[in-house]
Amino acid sequence: MTTPLYLEDFEVGRKFGTARLRVEADAIKAFAAAFDPQPFHLDDDAAGASFFQGLAASGWHTAAMTMRLLVEGDLKPAGGIIGAWAEEMKWPRAVRPGDELEVEAEILEVRASKSRPGQGFVKVRSTTLNQHREPVQVLVMNLLVPSRP
Amino acid sequence: MTTPLYLEDFEVGRKFGTARLRVEADAIKAFAAAFDPQPFHLDDDAAGASFFQGLAASGWHTAAMTMRLLVEGDLKPAGGIIGAWAEEMKWPRAVRPGDELEVEAEILEVRASKSRPGQGFVKVRSTTLNQHREPVQVLVMNLLVPSRP
């Protein structure tokens, strides 16, 4: 059990880790059927003929799996992980069936809110890595974090 | 049936629409259970006591529903909707049970790739609106689009 962190507890440069999550072909196809029904996320043969040259997870599936890993990982802001806005999000390479993902989160900036007393923003870079430690997603998100009461 | 669009077919300022999607409480909770298991996305009572003051969809659920609407909407790049990187993503207000979402996409920029002949990038701002036409998500994404063969 990690102690929840208030705004004052965050330090620039501190890193947080997560568990690992294995990505199955069925999960890739199920997410795509629900939210991103394009051939390269749904069907092995169609994917082979596409830009991705094989079945690849939707980037939004990768984002969702990243969130799952973060919520269950070491980064525990008081009040939960609440994203206010993202400044950057990219997918440097495809997520494939059988990949095992984990996330490394690093604190980039901590600042009090000018308009909301008692709250602030923590800028976090979350890098999602595959089992070869290659980045599959990089996300820079500003989290809303309460100050210590 | 909309004709697929190559890089040369996109014009700055052109807008594309989508259908509407109603967000049910069960869908909010199911997505959260899979990908964002935090109390304010899972449980009505816990959500009432949280920052959100009531059940709210995960921002990643909103992103995923936005993708679904886009894939089934009027914006049909040749080769599919393939996001290369996002420059901005924000959630100005919460998505609630019973909300009806639709997306308005506007072309902001069209440019050929310097490193990849035959391809280019189309920058699109996708604004996800609720039934009161209030934005619940704004996403600026660079799509990878092939040039006309």
Side-chain angles (χ1 to χ4, degrees):
Chain A
M1 182 76 194
T2 316
T3 308
L5 298 174
Y6 291 96
L7 188 66
E8 294 78 3
D9 300 321
F10 284 94
E11 287 171 33
V12 171
R14 185 163 165 192
K15 293 182 181 177
F16 299 86
T18 70
R20 276 186 157 207
L21 174 66
R22 184 179 161 91
V23 185
E24 304 294 349
D26 285 354
I28 289 175
K29 294 174 186 175
F31 187 97
F35 297 115
D36 191 351
Q38 301 194 88
F40 36 75
H41 302 317
L42 282 169
D43 179 82
D44 299 270
D45 291 340
S50 77
F51 168 80
F52 290 101
Q53 299 184 305
L55 193 71
S58 168
W60 301 112
H61 188 195
T62 302
M65 290 187 288
T66 296
M67 187 65 184
R68 172 80 193 221
L69 286 167
L70 285 171
V71 166
E72 296 181 341
D74 298 333
L75 173 63
K76 300 282 187 204
I81 299 182
I82 300 177
W85 75 99
E87 297 183 14
E88 182 190 345
M89 189 172 192
K90 61 185 178 182
W91 298 274
R93 52 181 62 65
V95 172
R96 305 293 187 179
D99 276 1
E100 294 195 8
L101 305 185
E102 66 184 300
V103 184
E104 292 183 356
E106 179 176 354
I107 307 304
L108 301 183
E109 196 179 311
V110 181
R111 60 195 187 289
S113 169
K114 288 168 193 166
S115 57
R116 300 178 179 222
Q119 296 182 347
F121 299 103
V122 176
K123 188 189 293 191
V124 184
R125 185 201 298 116
S126 296
T127 305
T128 310
L129 302 165
N130 65 20
Q131 68 277 20
H132 309 297
R133 296 197 60 76
E134 297 165 332
V136 296
Q137 181 182 285
V138 181
L139 169 67
V140 178
M141 178 72 78
N142 292 274
L143 302 179
L144 184 66
V145 178
S147 301
R148 190 174 291 283
Chain B
M1 183 76 194
T2 316
T3 308
L5 298 175
Y6 290 95
L7 188 65
E8 294 78 0
D9 301 322
F10 283 94
E11 288 171 33
V12 172
R14 186 164 166 190
K15 292 181 181 177
F16 299 87
T18 70
R20 274 184 159 208
L21 175 66
R22 184 180 161 89
V23 185
E24 305 294 349
D26 285 353
I28 290 175
K29 294 174 186 177
F31 186 97
F35 298 115
D36 192 349
Q38 302 193 86
F40 35 75
H41 302 317
L42 283 169
D43 179 83
D44 299 88
D45 291 339
S50 77
F51 168 79
F52 290 101
Q53 298 184 305
L55 194 71
S58 168
W60 301 112
H61 188 195
T62 303
M65 291 187 287
T66 295
M67 188 64 184
R68 173 79 192 223
L69 286 167
L70 285 172
V71 166
E72 296 182 339
D74 298 334
L75 174 63
K76 299 282 188 206
I81 299 182
I82 300 177
W85 76 97
E87 297 183 15
E88 182 189 344
M89 188 171 194
K90 60 184 178 183
W91 298 274
R93 51 182 62 66
V95 172
R96 305 294 187 177
D99 276 2
E100 294 196 7
L101 305 184
E102 66 184 300
V103 184
E104 292 183 354
E106 179 175 355
I107 307 304
L108 301 184
E109 196 178 312
V110 181
R111 60 196 187 287
S113 169
K114 289 167 193 166
S115 58
R116 300 178 178 221
Q119 296 182 348
F121 298 103
V122 175
K123 187 189 294 192
V124 184
R125 185 200 299 116
S126 297
T127 305
T128 310
L129 302 165
N130 65 19
Q131 66 277 20
H132 309 297
R133 296 197 60 77
E134 298 165 333
V136 296
Q137 181 182 284
V138 180
L139 169 67
V140 177
M141 178 71 80
N142 292 273
L143 302 179
L144 184 66
V145 178
S147 302
R148 190 173 292 282

